[in-house]
Amino acid sequence: MTVKPARTTNLGVAVILAITGLLAVSVWIAFLSGRAALILPVWHQYLGHSVDPTLARTLLALATILVYLAGCRVFYPRAAWLLVGWSVIGGVAIRLAVLALAGEPLPLLFACSTGGCAGGWALGLKLTPEMLHQWPELMPSFLVKYPHQSVSAAGWPMLYAGLIQALEHAPALSNTLSTLLRPLQCASWDFNSLSDAQVAGAWLGITAPFWSALTAVPLYIYGRMIGGKRTASAALVWLPLIPAAALFATSPSPTYALPAVTVAALLWGGMIARARGRAALLLLLAGALMGAALVVNLSLALLLPFCGLLILLRAAQESWPQVGPVLRRTVTVGLLFGFGLLAVWGAYGLLTEHSMFSVIRVALGIDQGLSLELSFLGNIGLSAWDFVLFTGLPLCGLAFAVAFSKRRSGETALVAALGGALLVFFISGMARFEIARSWAFFMPFVALVGATAYVQLRPAVRWALLAGQVILLLTIATTFTPQFTQARWVPNYDEVAAAPLPTSVMPVDATFGDALRLTGYQVEHQPGTKALTLALHWQALRQTDLPYYFSAVLVSPDGEVLPGVDWQPLGKQYPTSCWPPGRPVVDQIELPLGADAAVGDWWLSLRAFGIRGDQSLPPLEVTLPDGTTD
């Protein structure tokens, strides 16, 4: 049923755009004056942090958004499912373009996915049945290194561990995926000891922008059920322009919008289905997905009151003012939804040998929240401001207009359930920190509510509101980067390279396996230290997945074999796993000659070998220029 809310007045739109413009200017003033706390009380420490957007990247982000809007102009509202696909593509592209303002997207996504802040991949690498059984007891120990996992069930580590096990059976795919990632952590010894499947498993988190952009699919389905095709299509136009979705793209939080909206779509579909069997199945699936989502992250528990209000309000729409049928319908739907949820929790308990209720008890004890030392009203105001700012003032303005207009059918329940849930959370004090990131899964519902007003506006007014949203998004994106990375970036060779030796370079042109080429060497006798300085001139033939060790054995002119010397090139500061293919690298090492070094021609035996885990691998086979091997 198509919803027709009261028309948003031109004066209201003008006020929304004026406030948006004032805010954009204020953000830049705060950025330039160092008074960011006035605009972003929670996030001000990130304003300008690591942001150095070039003009080219800023224009690329703007161009990406404009191309997306041009596509929306073509598809809206005629080609609905093409618009769905375009919203997904545009969502990924805009997230990556905004992320590029802070740095290279792949390294940023990789660092955040594998860092301790998220923790799912790191714990998934070492997840064992014993860890699963003891998970509630282990949660407090994760607080410092893996803070998000300290207040969650084992869902994320289990997902990563399952993916890694699957990739172990696809070695070709694992090798391809891991090869793209190994250069990003080439200087990390622990990382280089991982298998291809373990490294490739990180792609689950790296593809977070794609998973969050997929929210467009269930949002369109849900929007059509409650507001019709035009409203659902309009929500898709707005979805990729929500600032939180782009600014927190490296965090798992925006991805939770996908299960959140899917739960709502399944729940609503079950409540309006005419066939009892289909209705029961959809309600059970909604509950099961809700249960699985809570296993992954307990912050989605905030979705439960929202779903409860949806159930109650839909029952009231069907049977009001008859209280008895309303209660019976509410209880029936709630029981089916709850049974699906508890079924998943039961399966989780059988698999892990601990219950979700024990996880919740521990999480409530750990998560005491981060107090901002604000008054009651100050806390409410800060939380609401954080949510509105990162949802987008133009979009929230449309949603507010709908909230205070006459409504009917599904939109009434959505507006009341969303508004009621958010109001309770703000007043209760639960919203205390990082609302824009933690509650990003509520923002697609705001887009759907705002879309019911958007479809009633004249085209020129629609474009003006979209322009305001884009300006706000780019303003924050060019001054603010909440990318929580714990990355060890590729070291700089020029900073660790030794001073060149004055002696001439002796050509060699020997290859070590398919990994390295020794192009030449230099030697210089050091009488004072009774040592020989050896400079090896290398080139990597490919991006190696191991930091190879070198080993040298000197043989004196009288045949005495000196003890071998093993070492990592450039003092472990620039391992072979960091060497770009084709770039010359010179590695120097001092080899002791002994107290009474004989005068004459010395022989040098050189080999390269790798270590995977605790086991040394065979040395790389050496091929000399004449084709002989050693």
Side-chain angles (χ1 to χ4, degrees):
M1 182 176 184
T2 302
V3 181
K4 295 183 179 179
R7 290 178 178 273
T8 306
T9 65
N10 290 337
L11 176 61
V13 172
V15 170
I16 292 171
L17 292 175
I19 296 175
T20 301
L22 180 62
L23 176 61
V25 172
S26 300
V27 169
W28 271 106
I29 292 175
F31 172 54
L32 296 173
S33 65
R35 296 184 178 182
L38 297 175
I39 306 297
L40 296 163
V42 173
W43 302 99
H44 66 88
Q45 65 268 34
Y46 297 105
L47 201 67
H49 175 67
S50 300
V51 176
D52 186 21
T54 62
L55 178 60
R57 293 197 176 199
T58 303
L59 292 176
L60 176 62
L62 176 60
T64 302
I65 295 173
L66 293 178
V67 170
Y68 165 71
L69 291 175
C72 291
R73 177 68 179 83
V74 174
F75 298 132
Y76 173 82
R78 295 179 294 275
W81 281 105
L82 288 177
L83 181 61
V84 173
W86 185 249
S87 182
V88 173
I89 295 171
V92 175
I94 290 173
R95 285 163 173 80
L96 295 180
V98 169
L99 193 58
L101 295 173
E104 294 298 327
L106 181 58
L108 283 172
L109 287 164
F110 169 77
C112 291
S113 301
T114 58
C117 189
W121 175 79
L123 288 174
L125 294 178
K126 51 188 177 183
L127 191 66
T128 63
E130 291 72 26
M131 282 183 64
L132 280 178
H133 301 162
Q134 301 171 11
W135 189 265
E137 292 79 17
L138 293 173
M139 286 169 61
S141 66
F142 301 149
L143 184 58
V144 175
K145 195 170 183 181
Y146 310 112
H148 289 182
Q149 296 304 309
S150 69
V151 290
S152 294
W156 270 122
M158 290 172 67
L159 285 174
Y160 276 107
L163 176 60
I164 290 169
Q165 289 183 12
L167 288 170
E168 295 285 3
H169 299 287
L173 177 62
S174 298
N175 179 261
T176 300
L177 294 176
S178 65
T179 299
L180 297 172
L181 300 181
R182 288 193 183 277
L184 304 179
Q185 281 280 63
C186 62
S188 171
W189 300 98
D190 292 338
F191 185 81
N192 283 315
S193 67
L194 299 177
S195 69
D196 286 343
Q198 289 174 314
V199 173
W203 280 99
L204 178 62
I206 293 171
T207 49
F210 170 73
W211 304 120
S212 60
L214 276 180
T215 305
V217 178
L219 185 65
Y220 178 74
I221 295 171
Y222 182 40
R224 285 203 65 163
M225 287 189 286
I226 69 165
K229 177 180 176 180
R230 287 177 61 84
T231 297
S233 299
L236 297 184
V237 174
W238 283 90
L239 185 63
L241 302 178
I242 294 175
L247 291 165
F248 301 101
T250 57
S251 166
S253 297
T255 65
Y256 301 144
L258 177 59
V261 178
T262 305
V263 166
L266 289 170
L267 179 60
W268 194 262
M271 289 189 293
I272 66 174
R274 296 182 180 276
R276 290 186 177 182
R278 175 180 171 81
L281 176 61
L282 290 175
L283 293 173
L284 288 171
L285 287 175
L289 181 58
M290 184 76 249
L294 291 173
V295 169
V296 172
N297 193 285
L298 284 177
S299 69
L300 284 163
L302 298 177
L303 196 64
L304 289 174
F306 170 72
C307 290
L309 286 172
L310 275 182
I311 293 171
L312 177 61
L313 292 168
R314 176 59 189 175
Q317 285 179 339
E318 292 176 342
S319 306
W320 188 260
Q322 302 177 47
V323 177
V326 170
L327 294 178
R328 285 195 296 272
R329 178 62 170 161
T330 300
V331 171
T332 301
V333 173
L335 286 175
L336 287 169
F337 181 83
F339 182 80
L341 185 152
L342 292 176
V344 171
W345 282 13
Y348 173 82
L350 289 174
L351 180 64
T352 63
E353 298 185 9
H354 69 261
S355 73
M356 277 295 296
F357 297 104
S358 63
V359 171
I360 293 171
R361 283 196 300 271
V362 175
L364 291 176
I366 295 176
D367 188 14
Q368 299 300 321
L370 298 177
S371 175
L372 298 179
E373 303 297 331
L374 295 173
S375 65
F376 173 72
L377 292 177
N379 184 58
I380 295 175
L382 173 62
S383 301
W385 173 246
D386 201 44
F387 186 83
V388 170
L389 178 63
F390 285 91
T391 305
L393 277 174
L395 180 56
C396 285
L398 288 172
F400 289 148
V402 175
F404 292 101
S405 64
K406 293 182 180 180
R407 303 167 302 279
R408 64 178 182 271
S409 189
E411 178 232 340
T412 304
L414 173 60
V415 171
L418 180 61
L422 291 175
L423 184 62
V424 168
F425 297 147
F426 289 142
I427 294 176
S428 67
M430 294 175 64
R432 288 171 293 184
F433 194 66
E434 297 186 10
I435 303 308
R437 179 185 60 79
S438 301
W439 291 10
F441 59 85
F442 277 125
M443 294 176 184
F445 298 112
V446 179
L448 190 53
V449 173
T452 62
Y454 175 84
V455 297
Q456 301 298 316
L457 300 172
R458 291 180 291 108
V461 178
R462 294 178 189 173
W463 284 107
L465 285 167
L466 287 171
Q469 184 85 353
V470 170
I471 290 171
L472 183 61
L473 169 60
L474 287 177
T475 298
I476 301 177
T478 51
T479 58
F480 169 81
T481 174
Q483 313 303 341
F484 309 108
T485 66
Q486 297 175 339
R488 291 184 60 190
W489 303 113
V490 177
N492 190 331
Y493 167 68
D494 295 330
E495 294 178 357
V496 299
L501 296 181
T503 57
S504 59
V505 179
M506 304 295 293
V508 176
D509 195 27
T511 59
F512 287 66
D514 64 346
L516 304 169
R517 172 181 285 116
L518 181 64
T519 61
Y521 70 95
Q522 295 169 275
V523 292
E524 185 178 33
H525 181 223
Q526 307 292 345
T529 59
K530 298 181 178 180
L532 191 71
T533 299
L534 173 67
L536 300 171
H537 291 247
W538 295 98
Q539 279 186 347
L541 300 176
R542 59 175 174 82
Q543 190 76 47
T544 66
D545 60 349
L546 285 177
Y548 284 101
Y549 288 80
F550 298 142
S551 181
V553 175
L554 285 171
V555 181
S556 69
D558 56 11
E560 180 186 4
V561 180
L562 274 62
V565 176
D566 298 338
W567 76 95
Q568 261 289 326
L570 293 110
K572 270 193 173 182
Q573 297 180 84
Y574 195 70
T576 61
S577 49
C578 291
W579 296 4
R583 175 176 178 174
V585 175
V586 181
D587 174 41
Q588 287 189 22
I589 184 71
E590 268 203 4
L591 302 175
L593 296 174
D596 300 312
V599 177
D601 292 332
W602 286 67
W603 286 88
L604 173 68
S605 174
L606 178 69
R607 70 171 182 166
F609 64 96
I611 296 179
R612 176 81 73 191
D614 296 329
Q615 296 183 340
S616 175
L617 301 178
L620 295 176
E621 186 177 66
V622 180
T623 302
L624 301 176
D626 60 3
T628 59
T629 59
D630 189 6

